[in-house]
């Protein structure tokens, strides 16, 4: 666990962490090494959930899957979690963070409000932290390194 004073901000590293995925498996998140990763933290109180999910889907489709996307639900109600991501019909990985922002596995991310989106570069560095999808799209569109990349995913089942 990182020290409270060392919370992730723009320009800082995002490290691997473990959570349950939508299949009930204990999996690990690792930022990809060949492009951008998006970590979208959301909860029950997000009135903009549907709008953000739709925007993220458009970005994902525009890049033809050459972007690793994972969303992290930060509440305890797994019924609502499953209902929302099923309704969104998204193709990315869905994580459940039952401890919310105070979960020791992700507390270093310093996400106390949802929705929050972390855009992570290929070196594992947080290049954007906020809730503006337009900002994410701007940053990604400036990167020529995404041309020709194919996303193979990066969640690994832990036994």
């Amino acid at each position: 666990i990182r020290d409270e004073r060392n919370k992730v901000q723009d320009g800082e590293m995002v490290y691997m962490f473990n959570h349950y995925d939508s299949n009930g498996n204990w999996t690990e998140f690792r930022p990809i090494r060949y492009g951008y990763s998006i970590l979208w933290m959301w909860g029950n109180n997000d009135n903009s959930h549907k709008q953000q999910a739709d925007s993220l889907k458009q970005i994902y489709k525009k890049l033809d899957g050459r972007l690793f996307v994972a969303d992290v639900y930060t509440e305890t109600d797994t019924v609502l979690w499953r209902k929302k991501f099923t309704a969104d019909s998204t193709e990315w990985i869905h994580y459940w963070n039952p401890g919310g922002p105070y979960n020791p596995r992700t507390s270093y991310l310093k996400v106390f409000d949802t929705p929050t989106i972390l855009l992570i570069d290929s070196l594992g560095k947080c290049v954007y932290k906020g809730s503006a999808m337009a900002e994410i799209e701007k940053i990604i569109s400036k990167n020529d390194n995404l041309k020709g990349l194919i996303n193979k995913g990066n969640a690994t089942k832990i036994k």
Side-chain angles (χ1 to χ4, degrees), residues 36-105:
Y36 283 113
S37 299
I38 290 180
L39 193 57
W40 174 33
M41 311 285 278
W42 62 279
N44 291 341
N45 61 340
D46 297 347
N47 296 331
S48 62
H49 179 272
K50 175 84 170 112
Q51 181 183 357
Q52 282 202 321
D54 289 345
S55 295
L56 202 47
K57 273 196 284 191
Q58 287 176 357
I59 293 169
Y60 187 78
K61 284 180 184 176
K62 191 184 294 185
L63 292 169
D64 194 27
R66 297 170 299 175
L67 171 73
F68 180 74
V69 178
D71 64 63
V72 180
Y73 180 65
T74 61
E75 307 283 339
T76 57
D77 182 357
T78 57
V79 173
L80 180 63
W81 171 54
R82 290 184 183 286
K83 183 179 172 184
K84 280 204 177 186
F85 74 70
T86 301
D88 293 341
S89 65
T90 53
E91 301 173 27
W92 53 75
I93 294 175
H94 308 282
Y95 292 110
W96 175 47
N97 183 11
Y102 302 104
N103 184 322
R105 290 181 188 89

Side-chain angles (χ1 to χ4, degrees), residues 73-157:
Y73 180 65
T74 61
E75 307 283 339
T76 57
D77 182 357
T78 57
V79 173
L80 180 63
W81 171 54
R82 290 184 183 286
K83 183 179 172 184
K84 280 204 177 186
F85 74 70
T86 301
D88 293 341
S89 65
T90 53
E91 301 173 27
W92 53 75
I93 294 175
H94 308 282
Y95 292 110
W96 175 47
N97 183 11
Y102 302 104
N103 184 322
R105 290 181 188 89
T106 54
S107 64
Y108 78 95
L109 296 173
K110 196 177 180 180
V111 174
F112 299 111
D113 295 317
T114 57
T116 296
I117 303 154
L118 285 85
L119 181 61
I120 305 158
D121 72 8
S122 61
L123 300 173
K125 192 185 307 180
C126 178
V127 294
Y128 174 78
K129 181 177 174 185
S131 60
M133 286 292 178
E135 226 17 70
I136 299 237
E137 208 165 353
K138 249 192 266 183
I139 293 167
I140 291 173
S141 68
K142 288 180 183 177
N143 184 353
D144 293 332
N145 296 331
L146 287 175
K147 292 178 183 166
L149 296 176
I150 299 171
N151 180 16
K152 306 233 188 257
N154 70 340
T156 308
K157 189 188 267 188

